[in-house]
Amino acid sequence: MVLFIVFVGLLVLRPIYFIIDRSTLNNGFTTAFTDPFIWQAIGTTIVLTVGAVVLALVVGTALAWFSLRLPRGLGWMSALPVMSILMPSVASITGWIFLFSPRVGFANTVLRTLPWWSDQTSGPIDVYTTPWIILCTGLQIAAFVYLFMSSGFTGVNSDLIEAAEVAGSSKLGVFFRVTLPLVRPSLVYATATAILLALGQFTAPLLLGRNSNIQVLTTRIFTYLNSSPVDFNAAAALGVPLVVIGMIIVFGQRALLGNQSRFVTHGGKGFKAVGRPSWSGVVWIGAYALLTAVLPLLAIIIVAVSPRWSADIVPSTFTLEHFTSALNSPEILSSVKNSVLFSLTSILIVIPIGFLCSAILVYGRRFKLCQIILDFVVAMPLGMPALIFGLGFLLAYSGPPINLYGTSSVVIAVYVTLMIPFSVRLQSAAMLSLGKQYIEASQVAGANLWRTMLSVLLPLMRSAFGAAAALIFLLLSHEFAASMLVRAPTTQVMGTTLYDLLEFGSYSAVAVLALIMAAVSLVGLGLAFLLGGRGALKGL
Amino acid sequence: MSKLEIQGLRKEFAGRRNHVAVNDLTFTVDEGELLVLLGSSGCGKTTTLRMVAGLEQASAGRISIGNKVVCDTTRRVDLSPNRRDVGMVFQSFALWPHMTVRRNIGYPLRARGLKQGFKEGWIDEAARMVDCTELLDRYPGQLSGGQQQRVAVARALVARPSLLLFDEPLSNLDARLRDQLRNEIHQLHQRVGFTGLYVTHDQSEALALGDRLAIMRAGQIEQLGRPREVYENPATEFVAEFIGMGNSISLYKTPSGWASKSGQLVGRVPDVSAETANLRVRQQAIRLGTIDSLAPGEMGVEGGTIADVEYGGASVDVVVKFVDGRSVSSRIPLTGEGEHRFELGSRTTVIFSARDAKLFPTSPAGSAGTGQPAHNDVAPEQKAGVS
Ligand SMILES: Nc1ncnc2c1ncn2[C@@H]1O[C@H](COP(=O)(O)OP(=O)(O)OP(=O)(O)O)[C@@H](O)[C@H]1O
Ligand SMILES: [Mg+2]
């Protein structure tokens, strides 16, 4: 067991160590922090983080609240905000480009038919500006906030809310004075997650900011790695603040919430919709889904079937030629194959790792110290941007003693590391809800550890495996940031190929690949549910 | 089947304040004996049982099953549960939902590699013992609570372990079923004669099942003995109350003898070396009447008022309140002919045989009072001083 913990520890901590180590070499810090653009980049990072977090918290919490009071028959709408997570982030940003790009964006074309903007030839929206990057990032993160908050609201005993209403508080007063304090754990967790996601946000700034030279810390790291000569030290130096903030947040979260068991189990009593159903919820949730999923998807589809991307949509010219050429393009095909292969291999590795970690965290009361260390190590990859892990693996494994650069192993290793927290979280939640009685009954019946695991724990965990596999496949087939750093010409995945195509200006191919990405993750999800049974859905 | 010996067993839970759940327990369960641990909620029964099973680590002490020392903190011996050769029936049944009943019952045989058990049909035998042969091919989810509990008992029995542990196995069942299963467990024990440790907080269950019973309080054993012994001769006031002597009349000493603030005390109370004491009487031992009807060997407390009358089918419960605020409850059988009339608010005298009452000093006269009873019985005859 100690060996296993050392292994997981090495996997997670070695890359981080290399970032810190490397940053002190050869004036990494000096290069990085005397650069004339650095303060601007830091400023943008802060503005983007604060803006996106505030937006995400407000939107996510409001949507979660509304989702509980949907009118009868429209309950299915509560699944809509989560749908935007199913869209790969690269794909939905691509969709936004197609919609809001100043000259030929479809939405802009439509808006220009309105009297206020009829005299303009571009705009009124320019997706390549900071406010729109914030909007784009914030709305994407809002989906995660929504997930945490709606499970938080569901756990609130509605009697408490009704009691407050009966006691004469106004609706708004009840929300701020009773409901929000009750969901504090979810709120803290959602806020921490939102901050981490916003700080590490890479996709939107890279894809939207590159035209107008809007830079944040993560994109500058990327720039240093793609300049010639490559400046590893400066890139590492820029990574250090992100590492430090990540550690602070992971520690802080542990301190604020105690151990994760406390808030995994607080669900239970069903939430009764309080008060009358509200139609404004339908409007807001609908608008959110439209903006983050439906419209981008439509735009992508239109670009994919049009001969080329232009401001005008001409249905009569629609064609499937881009699909056929994509299916004959070796680089697209190999990227799809790589993505699937890497994701599946990583799942096969990270699920057992997560299983063992969860077993130690949930049942290993006799090994307190191991639990504390493991708990922290396991939370680490969630605390730091994926890009940081990409960088760390690049530094740690592309030179003696271990040179894996350009091999698929390094991609898989990064993927496995990134997914450890998700794997552990889903499985340990499942173990906690199983309780310890089944395990104890097996032990008392005379079974040793292995038999207990194989005959009792594994079969009972089947649906948790399915859920974990589904979520991980979803996240990995979308993976972009870390892949961008560790990729080599032979290990391109869907996200990185999409970026190259975008750089190259082949918008039709971009659209087709974005659709393929969405399709692949849907197929993966479906398979996981088939294997894991209906229970798998609950884990998400 | 073998003997269970526990010496100086102790368990502390690390927490804000180190909480002592089990404090220096020592007792033995003889071969073939069923010992019942009885106590109120939180007194450490489950913790004790789990330490015997090896599911909880003892902070100090020694446990041996048969000739095998399974736990000895001074020698750092602590066998894991699977090497202790015990069977356990959990409060929540804990049948594995993904296995059929047959596989559930057979699991201990597989886990312990008892091939002989399969050959000789131990599974069917165990199923027959608890009367669930027809259920063997079902899944636990398809069983009722009582059936699940029977299967759980069969699973604990099947591998013929040295020791059987029961943690409130009947508390998740409804009252009628509880009586029936209690009966079955009793018969099973008569037939098989397993060594067992049985935890419950139900008094009647404990009296019915136990060869001996141990009353626990705050992690310690308050009294250990045969059910009848404990019932008739509670060692401490706590045991007395727990075992059904719910009525308490507080007494204090005057130069002329014992007196009570509740009302005038009639009858003889023995001379105990204490300044104050509590007289404990069972509900059923009390009758109501007038002081004139006092028979020899009886004692009474005058001056009560009937505060409540509760009809209970074969009997009525009458609550008598005294001037000092204490009340005494008496259960009076309804014998059909002689109709009892208890009018609310009417004055009455509480009468009981001195043999049925126990006196427990509450404050010492010099020596530290441990709540030990003064004498076996309250001596009759002598009239107590009137206050
Ligand atoms: N894991 C634990 N951590 C801390 N304290 C505990 C733990 N388990 C039990 N305790 C404490 O130890 C004491 C004894 O608990 P135990 O479960 O043995 O009681 P019990 O006699 O079985 O009660 P009940 O009849 O309610 O089941 C209780 O005060 C309980 O709060
Ligand atoms: Mg208990």
Side-chain angles (χ1 to χ4, degrees):
Chain A
M1 188 178 73
V2 172
L3 264 179
F4 171 72
I5 294 178
V6 169
F7 166 73
V8 175
L10 269 183
L11 196 63
V12 174
L13 298 179
R14 193 173 133 99
I16 297 174
Y17 167 75
F18 266 81
I19 290 177
I20 295 171
D21 186 48
R22 209 43 193 271
S23 66
T24 57
L25 285 180
N26 286 338
N27 304 324
F29 273 106
T30 331
T31 321
F33 287 97
T34 52
D35 185 286
F37 295 110
I38 181 66
W39 297 111
Q40 203 187 336
I42 291 178
T44 314
T45 309
I46 294 173
V47 170
L48 192 139
T49 305
V50 173
V53 167
V54 171
L55 184 70
L57 283 178
V58 171
V59 172
T61 310
L63 290 181
W65 181 242
F66 281 131
S67 78
L68 296 170
R69 3 176 75 200
L70 284 169
R72 201 178 281 271
L74 287 174
W76 55 269
M77 282 191 80
S78 65
L80 280 184
V82 189
M83 296 308 270
S84 75
I85 297 181
L86 296 184
M87 273 278 270
S89 152
V90 230
S92 57
I93 292 171
T94 312
W96 273 47
I97 294 179
F98 292 150
L99 283 172
F100 300 116
S101 144
R103 282 176 186 282
V104 281
F106 299 132
N108 275 328
T109 325
V110 173
L111 287 176
R112 283 201 296 268
T113 62
L114 299 175
W116 302 284
W117 297 295
S118 55
D119 51 332
Q120 298 179 2
T121 54
S122 88
I125 295 168
D126 184 355
V127 77
Y128 300 118
T129 54
T130 312
W132 281 84
I133 297 179
I134 291 179
L135 193 65
C136 182
T137 313
L139 287 183
Q140 284 190 345
I141 298 175
F144 291 93
V145 175
Y146 173 82
L147 261 187
F148 296 130
M149 292 311 290
S150 53
S151 77
F153 283 134
T154 315
V156 170
N157 187 345
S158 45
D159 290 349
L160 295 176
I161 297 175
E162 276 168 1
E165 278 182 359
V166 171
S169 294
S170 70
K171 283 255 150 58
L172 215 59
V174 171
F175 182 76
F176 282 104
R177 259 178 265 127
V178 180
T179 316
L180 273 191
L182 280 175
V183 293
R184 200 195 83 181
S186 304
L187 198 61
V188 170
Y189 193 72
T191 310
T193 310
I195 292 175
L196 289 173
L197 288 172
L199 255 184
Q201 184 54 240
F202 172 65
T203 320
L206 184 70
L207 263 49
L208 301 178
R210 77 206 148 106
N211 285 1
S212 34
N213 200 23
I214 298 168
Q215 291 244 1
V216 293
L217 282 179
T218 50
T219 55
R220 279 200 72 78
I221 293 178
F222 183 69
T223 313
Y224 276 120
L225 293 176
N226 281 277
S227 58
S228 50
V230 176
D231 194 342
F232 282 124
N233 305 326
L238 283 182
V240 170
L242 295 175
V243 169
V244 171
I245 294 175
M247 289 211 182
I248 292 175
I249 290 190
V250 170
F251 270 122
Q253 202 176 296
R254 284 280 172 287
L256 270 174
L257 292 180
N259 70 23
Q260 57 184 30
S261 63
R262 208 175 96 196
F263 88 122
V264 175
T265 45
H266 89 71
K269 272 196 206 84
F271 181 91
K272 267 191 306 179
V274 180
R276 263 168 276 119
S278 130
W279 282 95
S280 48
V282 177
V283 174
W284 286 111
I285 292 178
Y288 179 81
L290 210 61
L291 207 56
T292 55
V294 179
L295 287 181
L297 191 64
L298 265 180
I300 295 173
I301 294 177
I302 291 171
V303 173
V305 296
S306 300
R308 55 182 204 84
W309 176 26
S310 67
D312 307 306
I313 305 166
V314 193
S316 60
T317 61
F318 281 177
T319 161
L320 289 178
E321 70 177 282
H322 299 306
F323 285 92
T324 37
S325 65
L327 292 178
N328 289 317
S329 141
E331 50 176 12
I332 290 188
L333 284 185
S334 80
S335 75
V336 173
K337 201 189 82 207
N338 279 345
S339 271
V340 172
L341 196 68
F342 294 163
S343 306
L344 290 182
T345 318
S346 309
I347 287 176
L348 287 183
I349 299 171
V350 79
I351 297 260
I353 290 183
F355 180 76
L356 285 176
C357 289
S358 313
I360 295 174
L361 286 174
V362 176
Y363 300 115
R365 261 175 313 136
R366 291 193 178 194
F367 315 100
K368 201 78 213 155
L369 188 66
C370 292
Q371 280 190 326
I372 294 170
I373 296 173
L374 196 62
D375 188 42
F376 184 69
V377 167
V378 153
M380 207 69 124
L382 212 56
M384 272 154 235
L387 177 111
I388 290 293
F389 273 91
L391 175 65
F393 272 84
L394 198 62
L395 297 176
Y397 298 103
S398 35
I402 313 170
N403 192 349
L404 297 174
Y405 180 71
T407 63
S408 31
S409 342
V410 72
V411 184
I412 292 170
V414 177
Y415 281 10
V416 165
T417 311
L418 289 175
M419 290 303 121
I420 285 178
F422 298 96
S423 177
V424 172
R425 180 146 308 207
L426 285 183
Q427 296 189 54
S428 60
M431 282 184 195
L432 280 172
S433 68
L434 268 186
K436 50 186 184 172
Q437 48 163 359
Y438 293 129
I439 307 299
E440 291 184 346
S442 167
Q443 284 177 295
V444 174
N448 59 21
L449 194 65
W450 288 112
R451 180 180 285 275
T452 303
M453 287 231 181
L454 289 178
S455 339
V456 175
L457 195 52
L458 276 180
L460 290 175
M461 289 281 290
R462 201 184 86 165
S463 63
F465 293 141
L471 181 67
I472 292 171
F473 187 82
L474 192 72
L475 294 172
L476 285 184
S477 59
H478 296 179
E479 217 296 317
F480 178 69
S483 314
M484 281 303 277
L485 296 205
V486 294
R487 67 171 173 167
T490 49
T491 57
Q492 292 270 38
V493 294
M494 292 191 288
T496 58
T497 304
L498 191 138
Y499 175 77
D500 288 349
L501 292 171
L502 200 63
E503 281 276 85
F504 208 67
S506 347
Y507 292 109
S508 308
V510 167
V512 171
L513 186 52
L515 287 178
I516 295 178
M517 274 180 99
V520 166
S521 43
L522 277 183
V523 170
L525 270 187
L527 275 182
F529 288 148
L530 276 186
L531 294 178
R534 269 178 309 143
L537 240 170
K538 271 187 257 151
L540 298 180
Chain B
M1 297 296 142
S2 15
K3 184 173 174 171
L4 166 71
E5 277 180 284
I6 293 178
Q7 266 167 26
L9 193 63
R10 183 180 171 83
K11 176 72 188 178
E12 290 165 29
F13 283 110
R16 270 175 222 145
R17 306 170 289 135
N18 264 12
H19 176 80
V20 183
V22 172
N23 193 357
D24 198 21
L25 272 193
T26 302
F27 63 87
T28 311
V29 184
D30 287 325
E31 201 166 325
E33 183 186 42
L34 183 63
L35 183 94
V36 177
L37 287 182
L38 175 66
S40 50
S41 187
C43 70
K45 307 180 296 288
T46 301
T47 309
T48 308
L49 202 71
R50 289 170 57 83
M51 282 191 287
V52 174
L55 296 170
E56 205 84 62
Q57 234 177 333
S59 310
R62 183 170 177 282
I63 302 171
S64 63
I65 300 172
N67 311 326
K68 191 163 63 173
V69 176
V70 295
C71 169
D72 187 345
T73 47
T74 55
R75 281 165 40 205
R76 297 184 147 262
V77 176
D78 188 17
L79 292 189
S80 57
N82 53 313
R83 292 164 60 203
R84 293 196 174 192
D85 191 27
V86 297
M88 184 160 172
V89 183
F90 290 80
Q91 183 173 6
S92 53
F93 316 135
L95 297 178
W96 302 293
H98 61 291
M99 297 184 195
T100 57
V101 168
R102 181 181 289 282
R103 285 179 55 81
N104 260 290
I105 298 181
Y107 189 88
L109 298 181
R110 264 173 290 151
R112 298 191 165 124
L114 291 170
K115 298 212 181 63
Q116 164 205 12
F118 285 103
K119 264 184 253 146
E120 297 176 2
W122 289 9
I123 298 179
D124 292 286
E125 192 188 324
R128 212 173 320 117
M129 274 191 218
V130 296
D131 199 17
C132 56
T133 327
E134 334 76 78
L135 308 175
L136 281 173
D137 295 315
R138 294 212 213 155
Y139 282 92
Q142 303 165 321
L143 302 182
S144 72
Q147 290 169 330
Q148 288 188 38
Q149 194 53 285
R150 288 204 178 103
V151 174
V153 172
R155 183 180 67 182
L157 273 171
V158 70
R160 308 185 177 172
S162 314
L163 176 67
L164 273 182
L165 304 171
F166 300 82
D167 187 5
E168 306 203 20
L170 306 182
S171 66
N172 273 355
L173 305 172
D174 73 63
R176 193 185 286 262
L177 196 57
R178 199 153 49 208
D179 288 348
Q180 186 191 338
L181 275 173
R182 182 182 83 193
N183 215 296
E184 286 177 18
I185 291 178
H186 187 240
Q187 288 177 17
L188 196 65
H189 180 241
Q190 299 295 322
R191 247 184 307 146
V192 185
F194 52 80
T195 312
L197 189 57
Y198 187 109
V199 160
T200 179
H201 61 242
D202 184 295
Q203 191 213 125
S204 55
E205 211 172 296
L207 293 171
L209 283 177
D211 290 324
R212 281 190 302 155
L213 79 98
I215 313 273
M216 278 187 78
R217 176 196 194 181
Q220 281 172 312
I221 289 185
E222 194 88 354
Q223 186 175 6
L224 178 74
R226 305 206 152 271
R228 179 155 188 169
E229 217 170 279
V230 175
Y231 188 79
E232 290 178 355
N233 264 321
T236 65
E237 189 174 3
F238 176 82
V239 176
E241 181 171 9
F242 205 82
I243 217 76
M245 294 190 157
N247 290 316
S248 161
I249 300 162
S250 82
L251 305 181
Y252 62 93
K253 206 175 231 169
T254 62
S256 52
W258 287 102
S260 171
K261 285 196 181 118
S262 299
Q264 201 165 24
L265 194 66
V266 192
R268 209 195 122 184
V269 183
D271 197 29
V272 190
S273 55
E275 291 304 311
T276 59
N278 279 341
L279 196 62
R280 285 269 170 190
V281 199
R282 232 176 269 283
Q283 221 182 3
Q284 298 86 327
I286 291 179
R287 68 182 177 91
L288 302 177
T290 55
I291 201 77
D292 324 322
S293 66
L294 210 68
E298 280 189 328
M299 47 193 299
V301 185
E302 272 185 311
T305 324
I306 294 183
D308 193 18
V309 181
E310 212 173 82
Y311 177 69
S315 61
V316 277
D317 288 359
V318 182
V319 179
V320 178
K321 232 183 160 84
F322 289 98
V323 281
D324 64 345
R326 292 215 174 204
S327 53
V328 164
S329 158
S330 107
R331 173 160 298 173
I332 291 156
L334 293 177
T335 44
E337 338 126 15
E339 193 187 326
H340 289 277
R341 281 187 174 278
F342 302 103
E343 263 184 56
L344 283 187
S346 64
R347 312 277 288 172
T348 187
T349 299
V350 166
I351 302 171
F352 45 89
S353 156
R355 246 179 292 119
D356 291 334
K358 294 269 174 271
L359 191 67
F360 299 95
T362 46
S363 84
S367 67
T370 49
Q372 298 293 319
H375 287 255
N376 274 352
D377 285 345
V378 176
E381 272 120 42
Q382 182 191 320
K383 224 172 180 193
V386 175
S387 59

